[in-house]
Amino acid sequence: MGDRLKFYGWGTEGSGLDEAERERLFRFLADRLGIDPRLVSPPRLTDISLRPSRVTAPGAMAHLFTADPYERCLHTYGKSYPETLRAFGCDFANAPDLVALPANEADASAVMEWAGGANVAVIPFGCGSSVVGGVEPVVGDYYAGAVSLDLRRFDRVVEIDRTSRAARIQAGTRGPAIEAALKPHGLSIRHYPQSFEFSTLGGWIATRSGGHFATLYTHIDDFVESTRTVTPAGILETRRLPGSGAGPSPDRLIIGSEGSLGVIVEAWMRLQDTPRFRGGAVFGFPDLFAASKAVRAVGQSGLYPSNLRLIDNQEAGIYGVNDFEETILILAFESADHPVDVWAKRAIELIEDNGGRLHADDRAAKAWRTVFIRMPYAREVTVPLGLINDTFETSVTWDKFEAFHTAVSTATAEAIKEATGAEGTVSTRFTHVYPDGPAPYYTFNARGTPGRLLEQWRHIKTRASDALIAAGGTITHHHAVGRDHMPWYRQQRPELFGRAFDAAKSALDPARILNPGVLAD
């Protein structure tokens, strides 16, 4: 297994599902969707024809750029379904002309200054784990070309403030490297998105990533103390503060800006002491709605468990956690300071009062954790077989949830039938929970038609997105907007806010070279 990232799929070259995982996946494809399972070789660089680079870096800066075919392919796509489909079709028409590898802020500024003058689009790139079309250089003919600006050299934990329990971390640092640097100090960032191993701090901040904690500290926002961003107009650095009421927060402008306003180069992050005390339990319910009532009771209790993950019958069965017989609820507490038994006991009481059946052990929780971490590797196996598989996530208030879920899941199932002529699967879990509502996460699978897969996926995605916006949800809870969600983001955001954000972009990115088409028109 190598250290080089795949340009067509998840993880590093040589990594993937093991034989047992593939067999379980193949059984599902055959039994539920009638897909004949087989292994298909991934694309090779020699199979791909890249267009010649349309731009040339100035001589004094040539050392900051590469036109290496592997690097151009790697920086063409994120990890979404349509991107993986096109990668396996050897379609790299939107490959960046060059990849920039700045070593410091001065390099990043120089790249942006040159690009602004040359009318070249600049796409910030962390580790390429976007699943919403956030990094593909789709820039049209308006620009002379496109450069992907890779932050891999910004990879250090620069400073640790043990007294304030915070650290200054460069934006290109991946999750495991952050944890490794903090561990000797008894500290942890405690932010573990599913992409943790192959995503960066800057990417988390730029996309408002959701992480480990199912309640309370649900997003990376909660851990950001200050940010430093290189923009075409200059450096935007915010003050380190535990809190402030001084007007609109400049950090909030940068958090979630998805590379459209500037390139985040480092941030001071709030940390957690490494947990020493843990407790929890697993419960079964007859169905999703029965379990959601227990989730609401715990979510509104003020107990704030670290884990309160609900997995419906369909999802639990598909992923081998059970045989579809019940919805699973996983409860967990953790603390670095005190035993959590009292909190766990009260949460268990609330769940049992709402019909939860306490499991005798945590086998279901362990099974789910394993499959959750390994899920992203499946796409490169299933895409070549014609499986249309994707996920979308949202949030909605409790008063709307049951009607919302019925509308969204029904629309998605109907869209699968409309697009493919056959039934597929639609399953649900809760990733995060708030006192006023849950964050449902949907997965759909359908047997597609070779040659029509992209068209069929787009029909399902559009119908599902239309339904969740109409029913009162958000177009995304933690996957970000990217290019895929822009039509519905425009519907969701107030029109005046869109104009205000556009004005901010004009101030920070006057030539409008940064990630065109994302967030700002």
mmCIF file of all heavy atoms in Angstrom, residues 157 159-169 182 185-190 213 216-217 222-226 240-242 267-276 334-338:
data_model
loop_
_atom_site.group_PDB
_atom_site.id
_atom_site.type_symbol
_atom_site.label_atom_id
_atom_site.label_comp_id
_atom_site.label_asym_id
_atom_site.label_seq_id
_atom_site.Cartn_x
_atom_site.Cartn_y
_atom_site.Cartn_z
ATOM 1 N N VAL A 157 1.523 21.395 12.923
ATOM 2 C CA VAL A 157 0.962 21.999 14.125
ATOM 3 C C VAL A 157 2.051 22.920 14.649
ATOM 4 O O VAL A 157 3.074 22.473 15.156
ATOM 5 C CB VAL A 157 0.567 20.931 15.161
ATOM 6 C CG1 VAL A 157 0.108 21.596 16.460
ATOM 7 C CG2 VAL A 157 -0.523 20.027 14.606
ATOM 8 N N GLU A 159 2.085 25.586 16.913
ATOM 9 C CA GLU A 159 2.185 26.086 18.293
ATOM 10 C C GLU A 159 1.054 25.514 19.124
ATOM 11 O O GLU A 159 -0.081 25.389 18.635
ATOM 12 C CB GLU A 159 2.110 27.618 18.257
ATOM 13 C CG GLU A 159 2.290 28.315 19.568
ATOM 14 C CD GLU A 159 2.247 29.831 19.429
ATOM 15 O OE1 GLU A 159 2.206 30.337 18.279
ATOM 16 O OE2 GLU A 159 2.252 30.511 20.463
ATOM 17 N N ILE A 160 1.334 25.170 20.357
ATOM 18 C CA ILE A 160 0.315 24.661 21.277
ATOM 19 C C ILE A 160 0.273 25.537 22.521
ATOM 20 O O ILE A 160 1.300 25.759 23.173
ATOM 21 C CB ILE A 160 0.590 23.192 21.666
ATOM 22 C CG1 ILE A 160 0.466 22.288 20.427
ATOM 23 C CG2 ILE A 160 -0.381 22.726 22.754
ATOM 24 C CD1 ILE A 160 0.840 20.844 20.674
ATOM 25 N N ASP A 161 -0.886 26.048 22.837
ATOM 26 C CA ASP A 161 -1.121 26.829 24.043
ATOM 27 C C ASP A 161 -1.863 25.915 25.016
ATOM 28 O O ASP A 161 -3.087 25.826 25.004
ATOM 29 C CB ASP A 161 -1.943 28.068 23.697
ATOM 30 C CG ASP A 161 -2.359 28.873 24.929
ATOM 31 O OD1 ASP A 161 -2.039 28.463 26.057
ATOM 32 O OD2 ASP A 161 -3.035 29.910 24.745
ATOM 33 N N ARG A 162 -1.084 25.248 25.878
ATOM 34 C CA ARG A 162 -1.693 24.282 26.803
ATOM 35 C C ARG A 162 -2.580 24.973 27.823
ATOM 36 O O ARG A 162 -3.606 24.428 28.255
ATOM 37 C CB ARG A 162 -0.592 23.479 27.515
ATOM 38 C CG ARG A 162 -1.118 22.277 28.324
ATOM 39 C CD ARG A 162 -1.727 21.267 27.369
ATOM 40 N NE ARG A 162 -2.237 20.062 27.994
ATOM 41 C CZ ARG A 162 -3.442 19.919 28.554
ATOM 42 N NH1 ARG A 162 -4.272 20.949 28.602
ATOM 43 N NH2 ARG A 162 -3.843 18.774 29.045
ATOM 44 N N THR A 163 -2.207 26.197 28.217
ATOM 45 C CA THR A 163 -2.982 26.932 29.214
ATOM 46 C C THR A 163 -4.389 27.226 28.723
ATOM 47 O O THR A 163 -5.375 27.030 29.438
ATOM 48 C CB THR A 163 -2.271 28.250 29.575
ATOM 49 O OG1 THR A 163 -0.949 27.964 30.038
ATOM 50 C CG2 THR A 163 -3.039 29.003 30.655
ATOM 51 N N SER A 164 -4.495 27.705 27.476
ATOM 52 C CA SER A 164 -5.800 28.026 26.893
ATOM 53 C C SER A 164 -6.441 26.822 26.211
ATOM 54 O O SER A 164 -7.574 26.906 25.747
ATOM 55 C CB SER A 164 -5.664 29.154 25.869
ATOM 56 O OG SER A 164 -5.052 30.277 26.435
ATOM 57 N N ARG A 165 -5.681 25.743 26.121
ATOM 58 C CA ARG A 165 -6.111 24.506 25.467
ATOM 59 C C ARG A 165 -6.487 24.791 24.008
ATOM 60 O O ARG A 165 -7.619 24.599 23.567
ATOM 61 C CB ARG A 165 -7.284 23.878 26.213
ATOM 62 C CG ARG A 165 -7.309 22.339 26.088
ATOM 63 C CD ARG A 165 -8.340 21.709 26.971
ATOM 64 N NE ARG A 165 -9.699 22.078 26.597
ATOM 65 C CZ ARG A 165 -10.790 21.645 27.228
ATOM 66 N NH1 ARG A 165 -10.671 20.848 28.267
ATOM 67 N NH2 ARG A 165 -11.984 22.032 26.832
ATOM 68 N N ALA A 166 -5.456 25.271 23.274
ATOM 69 C CA ALA A 166 -5.646 25.617 21.864
ATOM 70 C C ALA A 166 -4.345 25.368 21.117
ATOM 71 O O ALA A 166 -3.275 25.221 21.716
ATOM 72 C CB ALA A 166 -6.075 27.078 21.717
ATOM 73 N N ALA A 167 -4.438 25.299 19.798
ATOM 74 C CA ALA A 167 -3.249 25.080 18.973
ATOM 75 C C ALA A 167 -3.371 25.851 17.675
ATOM 76 O O ALA A 167 -4.471 26.017 17.128
ATOM 77 C CB ALA A 167 -3.052 23.591 18.687
ATOM 78 N N ARG A 168 -2.214 26.320 17.179
ATOM 79 C CA ARG A 168 -2.142 26.979 15.871
ATOM 80 C C ARG A 168 -1.722 25.922 14.857
ATOM 81 O O ARG A 168 -0.629 25.355 14.955
ATOM 82 C CB ARG A 168 -1.157 28.143 15.912
ATOM 83 C CG ARG A 168 -1.031 28.891 14.593
ATOM 84 C CD ARG A 168 -0.451 30.292 14.788
ATOM 85 N NE ARG A 168 0.929 30.254 15.233
ATOM 86 C CZ ARG A 168 1.991 30.436 14.435
ATOM 87 N NH1 ARG A 168 1.804 30.627 13.122
ATOM 88 N NH2 ARG A 168 3.205 30.420 14.921
ATOM 89 N N ILE A 169 -2.579 25.662 13.900
ATOM 90 C CA ILE A 169 -2.404 24.533 12.986
ATOM 91 C C ILE A 169 -2.488 25.030 11.551
ATOM 92 O O ILE A 169 -3.399 25.791 11.199
ATOM 93 C CB ILE A 169 -3.478 23.450 13.237
ATOM 94 C CG1 ILE A 169 -3.485 23.025 14.709
ATOM 95 C CG2 ILE A 169 -3.252 22.236 12.337
ATOM 96 C CD1 ILE A 169 -4.661 22.131 15.090
ATOM 97 N N LEU A 182 -0.840 16.309 18.784
ATOM 98 C CA LEU A 182 -1.486 16.732 20.033
ATOM 99 C C LEU A 182 -1.415 15.665 21.127
ATOM 100 O O LEU A 182 -1.431 15.987 22.324
ATOM 101 C CB LEU A 182 -2.953 17.074 19.769
ATOM 102 C CG LEU A 182 -3.222 18.240 18.810
ATOM 103 C CD1 LEU A 182 -4.724 18.400 18.616
ATOM 104 C CD2 LEU A 182 -2.612 19.533 19.336
ATOM 105 N N HIS A 185 0.670 15.801 24.331
ATOM 106 C CA HIS A 185 0.264 16.847 25.266
ATOM 107 C C HIS A 185 -1.053 16.505 25.964
ATOM 108 O O HIS A 185 -1.594 17.343 26.702
ATOM 109 C CB HIS A 185 0.109 18.170 24.506
ATOM 110 C CG HIS A 185 1.357 18.609 23.801
ATOM 111 N ND1 HIS A 185 2.330 19.379 24.414
ATOM 112 C CD2 HIS A 185 1.812 18.346 22.549
ATOM 113 C CE1 HIS A 185 3.314 19.593 23.563
ATOM 114 N NE2 HIS A 185 3.034 18.981 22.424
ATOM 115 N N GLY A 186 -1.558 15.299 25.725
ATOM 116 C CA GLY A 186 -2.821 14.900 26.340
ATOM 117 C C GLY A 186 -4.015 15.629 25.758
ATOM 118 O O GLY A 186 -5.042 15.775 26.417
ATOM 119 N N LEU A 187 -3.883 16.081 24.505
ATOM 120 C CA LEU A 187 -4.922 16.880 23.868
ATOM 121 C C LEU A 187 -5.423 16.201 22.599
ATOM 122 O O LEU A 187 -4.755 15.332 22.030
ATOM 123 C CB LEU A 187 -4.381 18.274 23.532
ATOM 124 C CG LEU A 187 -3.989 19.153 24.707
ATOM 125 C CD1 LEU A 187 -3.237 20.386 24.223
ATOM 126 C CD2 LEU A 187 -5.224 19.548 25.510
ATOM 127 N N SER A 188 -6.588 16.631 22.149
ATOM 128 C CA SER A 188 -7.191 16.096 20.932
ATOM 129 C C SER A 188 -8.108 17.155 20.353
ATOM 130 O O SER A 188 -8.709 17.944 21.088
ATOM 131 C CB SER A 188 -7.997 14.829 21.244
ATOM 132 O OG SER A 188 -8.768 14.429 20.135
ATOM 133 N N ILE A 189 -8.222 17.170 19.026
ATOM 134 C CA ILE A 189 -9.173 18.094 18.419
ATOM 135 C C ILE A 189 -10.591 17.534 18.478
ATOM 136 O O ILE A 189 -11.563 18.285 18.381
ATOM 137 C CB ILE A 189 -8.760 18.443 16.971
ATOM 138 C CG1 ILE A 189 -9.444 19.735 16.524
ATOM 139 C CG2 ILE A 189 -9.044 17.289 16.011
ATOM 140 C CD1 ILE A 189 -8.868 20.350 15.276
ATOM 141 N N ARG A 190 -10.730 16.215 18.622
ATOM 142 C CA ARG A 190 -12.033 15.547 18.744
ATOM 143 C C ARG A 190 -12.976 15.934 17.602
ATOM 144 O O ARG A 190 -14.167 16.183 17.812
ATOM 145 C CB ARG A 190 -12.699 15.851 20.097
ATOM 146 C CG ARG A 190 -11.877 15.558 21.321
ATOM 147 C CD ARG A 190 -11.346 14.160 21.386
ATOM 148 N NE ARG A 190 -12.337 13.129 21.650
ATOM 149 C CZ ARG A 190 -12.143 11.843 21.394
ATOM 150 N NH1 ARG A 190 -11.006 11.434 20.863
ATOM 151 N NH2 ARG A 190 -13.085 10.971 21.662
ATOM 152 N N PHE A 213 -18.771 14.748 17.462
ATOM 153 C CA PHE A 213 -19.813 14.954 18.461
ATOM 154 C C PHE A 213 -21.183 15.038 17.797
ATOM 155 O O PHE A 213 -21.417 15.876 16.933
ATOM 156 C CB PHE A 213 -19.541 16.225 19.260
ATOM 157 C CG PHE A 213 -18.357 16.128 20.172
ATOM 158 C CD1 PHE A 213 -17.163 16.744 19.856
ATOM 159 C CD2 PHE A 213 -18.424 15.399 21.348
ATOM 160 C CE1 PHE A 213 -16.062 16.656 20.692
ATOM 161 C CE2 PHE A 213 -17.331 15.300 22.194
ATOM 162 C CZ PHE A 213 -16.146 15.928 21.867
ATOM 163 N N LEU A 216 -24.135 19.155 20.686
ATOM 164 C CA LEU A 216 -23.381 20.289 21.238
ATOM 165 C C LEU A 216 -22.313 20.802 20.280
ATOM 166 O O LEU A 216 -22.521 21.798 19.601
ATOM 167 C CB LEU A 216 -22.779 19.922 22.593
ATOM 168 C CG LEU A 216 -22.274 21.124 23.429
ATOM 169 C CD1 LEU A 216 -23.413 22.101 23.712
ATOM 170 C CD2 LEU A 216 -21.651 20.652 24.734
ATOM 171 N N TYR A 217 -21.135 20.143 20.207
ATOM 172 C CA TYR A 217 -20.061 20.607 19.321
ATOM 173 C C TYR A 217 -20.146 19.859 17.984
ATOM 174 O O TYR A 217 -19.306 19.024 17.661
ATOM 175 C CB TYR A 217 -18.702 20.356 19.956
ATOM 176 C CG TYR A 217 -18.517 20.952 21.331
ATOM 177 C CD1 TYR A 217 -18.150 20.162 22.420
ATOM 178 C CD2 TYR A 217 -18.707 22.310 21.556
ATOM 179 C CE1 TYR A 217 -17.960 20.703 23.680
ATOM 180 C CE2 TYR A 217 -18.536 22.875 22.821
ATOM 181 C CZ TYR A 217 -18.165 22.058 23.878
ATOM 182 O OH TYR A 217 -17.979 22.605 25.122
ATOM 183 N N ASP A 222 -17.448 25.272 16.022
ATOM 184 C CA ASP A 222 -17.381 25.359 17.475
ATOM 185 C C ASP A 222 -15.960 25.309 18.008
ATOM 186 O O ASP A 222 -15.720 25.653 19.168
ATOM 187 C CB ASP A 222 -18.201 24.213 18.096
ATOM 188 C CG ASP A 222 -19.655 24.255 17.675
ATOM 189 O OD1 ASP A 222 -20.295 25.299 17.875
ATOM 190 O OD2 ASP A 222 -20.149 23.253 17.141
ATOM 191 N N PHE A 223 -15.018 24.870 17.182
ATOM 192 C CA PHE A 223 -13.630 24.728 17.622
ATOM 193 C C PHE A 223 -12.710 25.813 17.069
ATOM 194 O O PHE A 223 -11.535 25.863 17.422
ATOM 195 C CB PHE A 223 -13.085 23.360 17.207
ATOM 196 C CG PHE A 223 -13.837 22.197 17.792
ATOM 197 C CD1 PHE A 223 -14.254 21.142 16.995
ATOM 198 C CD2 PHE A 223 -14.148 22.159 19.141
ATOM 199 C CE1 PHE A 223 -14.949 20.075 17.525
ATOM 200 C CE2 PHE A 223 -14.850 21.099 19.688
ATOM 201 C CZ PHE A 223 -15.254 20.048 18.887
ATOM 202 N N VAL A 224 -13.219 26.667 16.193
ATOM 203 C CA VAL A 224 -12.360 27.695 15.583
ATOM 204 C C VAL A 224 -12.244 28.895 16.521
ATOM 205 O O VAL A 224 -13.228 29.530 16.883
ATOM 206 C CB VAL A 224 -12.931 28.140 14.218
ATOM 207 C CG1 VAL A 224 -12.098 29.290 13.653
ATOM 208 C CG2 VAL A 224 -12.947 26.974 13.238
ATOM 209 N N GLU A 225 -10.998 29.206 16.884
ATOM 210 C CA GLU A 225 -10.721 30.355 17.748
ATOM 211 C C GLU A 225 -10.352 31.581 16.907
ATOM 212 O O GLU A 225 -10.739 32.705 17.229
ATOM 213 C CB GLU A 225 -9.575 30.010 18.703
ATOM 214 C CG GLU A 225 -9.408 30.969 19.855
ATOM 215 C CD GLU A 225 -8.328 30.488 20.814
ATOM 216 O OE1 GLU A 225 -7.136 30.489 20.419
ATOM 217 O OE2 GLU A 225 -8.664 30.124 21.956
ATOM 218 N N SER A 226 -9.578 31.371 15.858
ATOM 219 C CA SER A 226 -9.262 32.447 14.921
ATOM 220 C C SER A 226 -8.751 31.834 13.625
ATOM 221 O O SER A 226 -8.342 30.665 13.594
ATOM 222 C CB SER A 226 -8.222 33.418 15.491
ATOM 223 O OG SER A 226 -6.938 32.819 15.515
ATOM 224 N N ARG A 240 -7.463 36.160 18.201
ATOM 225 C CA ARG A 240 -7.732 35.028 19.094
ATOM 226 C C ARG A 240 -8.549 35.500 20.284
ATOM 227 O O ARG A 240 -8.085 36.306 21.089
ATOM 228 C CB ARG A 240 -6.424 34.438 19.623
ATOM 229 C CG ARG A 240 -5.708 33.472 18.753
ATOM 230 C CD ARG A 240 -4.587 32.798 19.563
ATOM 231 N NE ARG A 240 -5.120 31.884 20.558
ATOM 232 C CZ ARG A 240 -4.421 31.416 21.598
ATOM 233 N NH1 ARG A 240 -3.161 31.806 21.775
ATOM 234 N NH2 ARG A 240 -4.973 30.580 22.449
ATOM 235 N N LEU A 241 -9.748 34.962 20.410
ATOM 236 C CA LEU A 241 -10.619 35.319 21.521
ATOM 237 C C LEU A 241 -11.494 34.127 21.872
ATOM 238 O O LEU A 241 -11.905 33.370 20.988
ATOM 239 C CB LEU A 241 -11.525 36.506 21.148
ATOM 240 C CG LEU A 241 -10.842 37.862 20.934
ATOM 241 C CD1 LEU A 241 -11.810 38.835 20.289
ATOM 242 C CD2 LEU A 241 -10.314 38.414 22.255
ATOM 243 N N PRO A 242 -11.813 33.956 23.155
ATOM 244 C CA PRO A 242 -12.746 32.877 23.517
ATOM 245 C C PRO A 242 -14.175 33.188 23.098
ATOM 246 O O PRO A 242 -15.006 32.287 22.943
ATOM 247 C CB PRO A 242 -12.619 32.802 25.042
ATOM 248 C CG PRO A 242 -12.136 34.153 25.447
ATOM 249 C CD PRO A 242 -11.272 34.653 24.336
ATOM 250 N N ALA A 267 -5.113 28.222 11.378
ATOM 251 C CA ALA A 267 -6.149 28.608 12.333
ATOM 252 C C ALA A 267 -5.724 28.223 13.732
ATOM 253 O O ALA A 267 -5.013 27.221 13.928
ATOM 254 C CB ALA A 267 -7.476 27.935 11.981
ATOM 255 N N TRP A 268 -6.127 29.019 14.696
ATOM 256 C CA TRP A 268 -6.051 28.610 16.095
ATOM 257 C C TRP A 268 -7.319 27.829 16.404
ATOM 258 O O TRP A 268 -8.434 28.307 16.145
ATOM 259 C CB TRP A 268 -5.955 29.832 17.012
ATOM 260 C CG TRP A 268 -4.554 30.332 17.205
ATOM 261 C CD1 TRP A 268 -3.932 31.325 16.525
ATOM 262 C CD2 TRP A 268 -3.613 29.837 18.169
ATOM 263 N NE1 TRP A 268 -2.647 31.495 16.997
ATOM 264 C CE2 TRP A 268 -2.424 30.609 18.003
ATOM 265 C CE3 TRP A 268 -3.646 28.846 19.149
ATOM 266 C CZ2 TRP A 268 -1.291 30.400 18.782
ATOM 267 C CZ3 TRP A 268 -2.531 28.632 19.927
ATOM 268 C CH2 TRP A 268 -1.364 29.400 19.748
ATOM 269 N N MET A 269 -7.136 26.617 16.941
ATOM 270 C CA MET A 269 -8.259 25.725 17.177
ATOM 271 C C MET A 269 -8.397 25.396 18.654
ATOM 272 O O MET A 269 -7.410 25.103 19.336
ATOM 273 C CB MET A 269 -8.078 24.430 16.389
ATOM 274 C CG MET A 269 -7.934 24.617 14.884
ATOM 275 S SD MET A 269 -9.359 25.401 14.112
ATOM 276 C CE MET A 269 -10.635 24.166 14.417
ATOM 277 N N ARG A 270 -9.638 25.424 19.147
ATOM 278 C CA ARG A 270 -9.914 24.984 20.514
ATOM 279 C C ARG A 270 -9.803 23.460 20.577
ATOM 280 O O ARG A 270 -10.266 22.758 19.680
ATOM 281 C CB ARG A 270 -11.312 25.418 20.940
ATOM 282 C CG ARG A 270 -11.513 26.924 20.882
ATOM 283 C CD ARG A 270 -12.901 27.333 21.343
ATOM 284 N NE ARG A 270 -13.046 28.776 21.255
ATOM 285 C CZ ARG A 270 -13.658 29.418 20.259
ATOM 286 N NH1 ARG A 270 -14.216 28.723 19.279
ATOM 287 N NH2 ARG A 270 -13.725 30.732 20.238
ATOM 288 N N LEU A 271 -9.204 22.963 21.634
ATOM 289 C CA LEU A 271 -8.940 21.536 21.768
ATOM 290 C C LEU A 271 -9.701 20.940 22.943
ATOM 291 O O LEU A 271 -10.309 21.663 23.751
ATOM 292 C CB LEU A 271 -7.438 21.299 21.951
ATOM 293 C CG LEU A 271 -6.520 21.931 20.895
ATOM 294 C CD1 LEU A 271 -5.065 21.714 21.271
ATOM 295 C CD2 LEU A 271 -6.814 21.350 19.512
ATOM 296 N N GLN A 272 -9.628 19.627 23.050
ATOM 297 C CA GLN A 272 -10.214 18.899 24.171
ATOM 298 C C GLN A 272 -9.119 18.088 24.853
ATOM 299 O O GLN A 272 -8.185 17.630 24.200
ATOM 300 C CB GLN A 272 -11.299 17.930 23.677
ATOM 301 C CG GLN A 272 -12.339 18.554 22.778
ATOM 302 C CD GLN A 272 -13.217 19.542 23.493
ATOM 303 O OE1 GLN A 272 -13.686 19.272 24.602
ATOM 304 N NE2 GLN A 272 -13.427 20.710 22.902
ATOM 305 N N ASP A 273 -9.232 17.927 26.162
ATOM 306 C CA ASP A 273 -8.367 16.961 26.836
ATOM 307 C C ASP A 273 -8.771 15.559 26.388
ATOM 308 O O ASP A 273 -9.950 15.281 26.140
ATOM 309 C CB ASP A 273 -8.513 17.075 28.357
ATOM 310 C CG ASP A 273 -7.917 18.360 28.896
ATOM 311 O OD1 ASP A 273 -6.774 18.679 28.514
ATOM 312 O OD2 ASP A 273 -8.606 19.051 29.680
ATOM 313 N N THR A 274 -7.809 14.677 26.282
ATOM 314 C CA THR A 274 -8.091 13.314 25.854
ATOM 315 C C THR A 274 -9.041 12.635 26.835
ATOM 316 O O THR A 274 -8.786 12.621 28.043
ATOM 317 C CB THR A 274 -6.791 12.502 25.750
ATOM 318 O OG1 THR A 274 -5.901 13.164 24.853
ATOM 319 C CG2 THR A 274 -7.070 11.101 25.229
ATOM 320 N N PRO A 275 -10.149 12.066 26.367
ATOM 321 C CA PRO A 275 -11.133 11.446 27.273
ATOM 322 C C PRO A 275 -10.536 10.269 28.046
ATOM 323 O O PRO A 275 -9.757 9.478 27.508
ATOM 324 C CB PRO A 275 -12.238 10.972 26.334
ATOM 325 C CG PRO A 275 -12.077 11.778 25.100
ATOM 326 C CD PRO A 275 -10.614 12.041 24.969
ATOM 327 N N ARG A 276 -10.928 10.168 29.313
ATOM 328 C CA ARG A 276 -10.515 9.033 30.153
ATOM 329 C C ARG A 276 -11.719 8.205 30.590
ATOM 330 O O ARG A 276 -11.582 7.045 30.955
ATOM 331 C CB ARG A 276 -9.773 9.520 31.400
ATOM 332 C CG ARG A 276 -8.464 10.226 31.113
ATOM 333 C CD ARG A 276 -7.706 10.545 32.405
ATOM 334 N NE ARG A 276 -8.464 11.459 33.263
ATOM 335 C CZ ARG A 276 -8.676 11.273 34.566
ATOM 336 N NH1 ARG A 276 -8.221 10.169 35.161
ATOM 337 N NH2 ARG A 276 -9.356 12.159 35.277
ATOM 338 N N GLU A 334 -18.532 10.749 26.899
ATOM 339 C CA GLU A 334 -17.102 10.730 27.177
ATOM 340 C C GLU A 334 -16.726 11.975 27.971
ATOM 341 O O GLU A 334 -17.384 13.017 27.876
ATOM 342 C CB GLU A 334 -16.293 10.678 25.884
ATOM 343 C CG GLU A 334 -16.449 11.890 24.986
ATOM 344 C CD GLU A 334 -15.616 11.801 23.705
ATOM 345 O OE1 GLU A 334 -15.650 10.744 23.057
ATOM 346 O OE2 GLU A 334 -14.937 12.794 23.378
ATOM 347 N N SER A 335 -15.669 11.860 28.765
ATOM 348 C CA SER A 335 -15.178 12.997 29.545
ATOM 349 C C SER A 335 -13.724 12.768 29.916
ATOM 350 O O SER A 335 -13.307 11.629 30.157
ATOM 351 C CB SER A 335 -16.007 13.188 30.819
ATOM 352 O OG SER A 335 -15.434 14.197 31.636
ATOM 353 N N ALA A 336 -12.976 13.845 29.948
ATOM 354 C CA ALA A 336 -11.602 13.781 30.446
ATOM 355 C C ALA A 336 -11.543 14.032 31.943
ATOM 356 O O ALA A 336 -10.527 13.766 32.587
ATOM 357 C CB ALA A 336 -10.737 14.813 29.726
ATOM 358 N N ASP A 337 -12.656 14.512 32.513
ATOM 359 C CA ASP A 337 -12.634 14.997 33.895
ATOM 360 C C ASP A 337 -13.345 14.098 34.897
ATOM 361 O O ASP A 337 -12.900 13.959 36.030
ATOM 362 C CB ASP A 337 -13.275 16.385 33.935
ATOM 363 C CG ASP A 337 -13.367 16.943 35.346
ATOM 364 O OD1 ASP A 337 -12.309 17.331 35.889
ATOM 365 O OD2 ASP A 337 -14.485 16.968 35.904
ATOM 366 N N HIS A 338 -14.435 13.485 34.514
ATOM 367 C CA HIS A 338 -15.277 12.810 35.509
ATOM 368 C C HIS A 338 -15.957 11.587 34.901
ATOM 369 O O HIS A 338 -16.173 11.515 33.685
ATOM 370 C CB HIS A 338 -16.346 13.770 36.026
ATOM 371 C CG HIS A 338 -17.136 14.415 34.928
ATOM 372 N ND1 HIS A 338 -16.819 15.666 34.425
ATOM 373 C CD2 HIS A 338 -18.218 13.994 34.210
ATOM 374 C CE1 HIS A 338 -17.662 15.973 33.463
ATOM 375 N NE2 HIS A 338 -18.524 14.974 33.306
#
